[in-house]
Amino acid sequence: MASEYVFISDLHMGGDEQLTALDFETELLSFLADLEERGGDVELIINGDAFGLWEYAEVTGPAKLERVIDDHPRVFEQFRATGATIDITLIPGNHDYDLACDDSYVDRLADFNVDLEQEISITREVGDGEIWIEHGQQRDPNNRMPDWGNPDALPVGYFVVQRIVAAAGRYSGQARGDWLRDIQSVAPMEEIPRWLLSNYFYREMSPFLRAIVVPLLMFFNLTLLYLFGTVLETVGLLPARFFTDNPVVQALGVAAIVLELIVAVNLVIIAVLVLIAVPLWLFRRDLRRTLERFGVVLSGVRVGQGDAPFLNAAKEIFEANPDVTVFVYGHTHRASVTEWGDRVVVNTGTWLKNLQHVETRFSRLPGVYYPSFRLNYVRLFAEGDRVVVECEEIETEQPIDLTRFQRLVARRPPRPDPIPARTVIDPDGRLEP
């Protein structure tokens, strides 16, 4: 066993067409080179989804990994160099579940000094305690493997990725810009429809059509106010010509005509929406019930659940295995450290781009998915009779990939929750969730 463990996860290297792009290649190479230079009794553990093998539709079997190697030769050569001075261990996640189903992957990755352990979870000793390490897909109903190691026993999530994510990779070259490849960063998958709508509006919609739609949407609330005020005038609660035929508005000349036209169009839209609202609501409810009956939901980890299923799993592991001090997982792409007394739950996050939905300064305009990176890794080691968990972020200068219009209308996103840089626990201490 090593005296120090370093964790990263969810690199998602690979995929059809633009999905194989690696925005963080420079940072990853530097990170691996630093580990090579430092050397010592260290083990780098990549706890799942190192590769995006599910994102390939045109190649199958071990040829998927060969495609990743061909697309990212510098990364694999650095794996070889780093693995010559420290241990590198990799466990499968859901997106690279193929690694658990074919022993040939063990030998192929060994060529690059990467030790593949084809297990759902592994453990390591740290001081007087243990580390429980998994990817986390087994805690997600739609990505749980029903028969680990069986290549034909695939969860619903696989088919979602094949139909949606892999397809996005194949058609990414048709988009205006390379935004479509960011579908890998949309989490949870419930967000995909809203993300597609946002990018259609801001990137793919005809500029001429957008120039017509934007004023209608921006003045939608004004139309509702106008409609409400007209009703109050009609019943006598407001004086006449307060809203209708207001002399101040009429004095605007041509601008008044344009404003009245926008209001008129919005009133027609409101009337149509009211007429179809009830049947649409009934259809939506029936569709949701049907999907739930067949067990098809876009993600077992719903927006409202957050990391609750994984924290519950960690508590069960702690209670069943008193020697386990640290529970490490990934999968959700949300880096975090949760301390329960003298036990710690660590989410290793992702090196993919993070997309955060933010509202616009003008209501009714679609929200914007604000991009950012949080390239972090976790170090675990013993310090006397204590266990230390350190989280470090790697600086990156990746550009904010937004159009000028998105920058104009989007609100600034809130800063991500801070992660403790250093957490010290006692393996003999109590679990106090």
Side-chain angles (χ1 to χ4, degrees):
M1 293 291 178
S3 60
E4 179 183 327
Y5 303 96
V6 179
F7 294 91
I8 59 174
S9 74
D10 294 87
L11 303 175
H12 290 268
M13 290 189 291
D16 286 332
E17 302 297 335
Q18 291 187 21
L19 292 182
T20 198
L22 205 61
D23 292 324
F24 51 84
E25 181 179 80
T26 300
E27 291 84 359
L28 179 60
L29 290 172
S30 177
F31 166 73
L32 293 171
D34 286 345
L35 289 176
E36 175 194 1
E37 182 179 355
R38 187 156 60 93
D41 191 17
V42 178
E43 181 179 7
L44 170 64
I45 300 178
I46 307 174
N47 55 299
D49 282 0
F51 312 120
L53 303 185
W54 274 4
E55 284 77 0
Y56 288 105
E58 298 177 356
V59 293
T60 59
K64 295 180 181 181
L65 180 59
E66 295 304 321
R67 180 71 67 82
V68 180
I69 294 171
D70 291 342
D71 287 345
H72 304 292
R74 296 176 62 201
V75 173
F76 280 86
E77 286 306 314
Q78 188 60 60
F79 275 143
R80 195 198 308 272
T82 303
T85 62
I86 68 169
D87 294 330
I88 301 178
T89 300
L90 186 152
I91 63 172
N94 51 306
H95 285 261
D96 51 15
Y97 171 61
D98 303 52
L99 302 179
C101 305
D102 189 335
D103 291 341
S104 68
Y105 288 112
V106 177
D107 296 332
R108 187 66 178 114
L109 287 169
D111 292 339
F112 300 96
N113 292 324
V114 176
D115 179 21
L116 171 62
E117 294 197 31
Q118 298 171 303
E119 306 293 336
I120 297 176
S121 63
I122 59 176
T123 59
R124 292 292 187 268
E125 294 180 3
V126 55
D128 295 331
E130 284 188 359
I131 311 168
W132 180 282
I133 306 150
E134 62 178 56
H135 178 63
Q137 76 279 352
Q138 296 301 97
R139 318 298 177 178
D140 176 349
N142 288 320
N143 284 293
R144 179 184 300 127
M145 306 303 162
D147 182 15
W148 185 260
N150 182 349
D152 298 319
L154 295 167
V156 171
Y158 167 79
F159 300 99
V160 173
V161 170
Q162 279 284 293
R163 297 294 182 271
I164 300 177
V165 180
R170 294 195 299 275
Y171 292 107
S172 55
Q174 307 298 320
R176 294 174 178 171
D178 58 1
W179 66 269
L180 199 52
R181 68 183 175 90
D182 288 340
I183 193 171
Q184 298 178 99
S185 300
V186 182
M189 282 191 171
E190 288 98 330
E191 286 290 295
I192 287 179
R194 191 163 62 158
W195 172 77
L196 288 172
L197 174 62
S198 174
N199 280 286
Y200 163 73
F201 183 84
Y202 291 110
R203 298 176 186 268
E204 300 296 327
M205 180 182 284
S206 162
F208 175 75
L209 179 58
R210 186 164 52 238
I212 296 174
V213 172
V214 167
L216 292 175
L217 292 175
M218 292 178 63
F219 283 100
F220 199 84
N221 287 343
L222 179 62
T223 302
L224 292 177
L225 177 62
Y226 178 85
L227 181 61
F228 181 67
T230 301
V231 172
L232 293 182
E233 278 189 24
T234 303
V235 298
L237 294 179
L238 283 178
R241 304 183 69 185
F242 191 87
F243 277 90
T244 58
D245 297 324
N246 189 295
V248 176
V249 175
Q250 295 301 321
L252 297 176
V254 176
I257 297 174
V258 173
L259 183 61
E260 289 177 354
L261 178 61
I262 292 175
V263 170
V265 172
N266 274 333
L267 286 174
V268 173
I269 294 173
I270 291 172
V272 172
L273 290 176
V274 170
L275 288 175
I276 66 174
V278 173
L280 280 179
W281 179 81
L282 292 173
F283 172 77
R284 180 175 179 273
R285 187 179 67 168
D286 186 70
L287 178 62
R288 177 175 291 276
R289 287 179 177 178
T290 302
L291 293 176
E292 290 177 349
R293 187 168 68 250
F294 283 97
V296 180
V297 289
L298 288 177
S299 170
V301 185
R302 299 188 180 183
V303 176
Q305 287 180 299
D307 287 300
F310 307 92
L311 296 177
N312 292 337
K315 182 179 179 182
E316 293 174 1
I317 294 296
F318 289 144
E319 291 176 342
N321 304 273
D323 290 336
V324 174
T325 305
V326 184
F327 181 97
V328 178
Y329 73 102
H331 188 60
T332 69
H333 296 188
R334 293 186 293 269
S336 64
V337 172
T338 304
E339 190 174 0
W340 290 340
D342 278 299
R343 298 293 182 269
V344 172
V345 183
V346 176
N347 186 317
T348 44
T350 181
W351 282 42
L352 288 177
K353 182 184 296 181
N354 290 303
L355 296 175
Q356 184 176 0
H357 181 267
V358 295
E359 298 297 334
T360 61
R361 295 185 176 91
F362 309 97
S363 63
R364 307 302 175 185
L365 292 183
V368 172
Y369 283 80
Y370 208 92
S372 64
F373 285 87
R374 197 173 201 178
L375 311 181
N376 64 280
Y377 63 95
V378 179
R379 298 175 59 232
L380 270 80
F381 55 92
E383 194 174 77
D385 58 354
R386 303 274 178 158
V387 173
V388 179
V389 179
E390 291 186 346
C391 295
E392 301 189 26
E393 289 192 33
I394 298 173
E395 294 293 329
T396 180
E397 296 181 357
Q398 296 289 345
I400 299 176
D401 185 21
L402 293 175
T403 67
R404 290 181 180 178
F405 187 50
Q406 285 176 310
R407 292 171 184 266
L408 175 65
V409 302
R411 298 179 183 273
R412 295 288 298 183
R415 300 184 68 85
D417 295 334
I419 300 176
R422 180 180 171 90
T423 304
V424 183
I425 54 175
D426 179 4
D428 295 325
R430 298 175 58 187
L431 168 64
E432 299 174 359

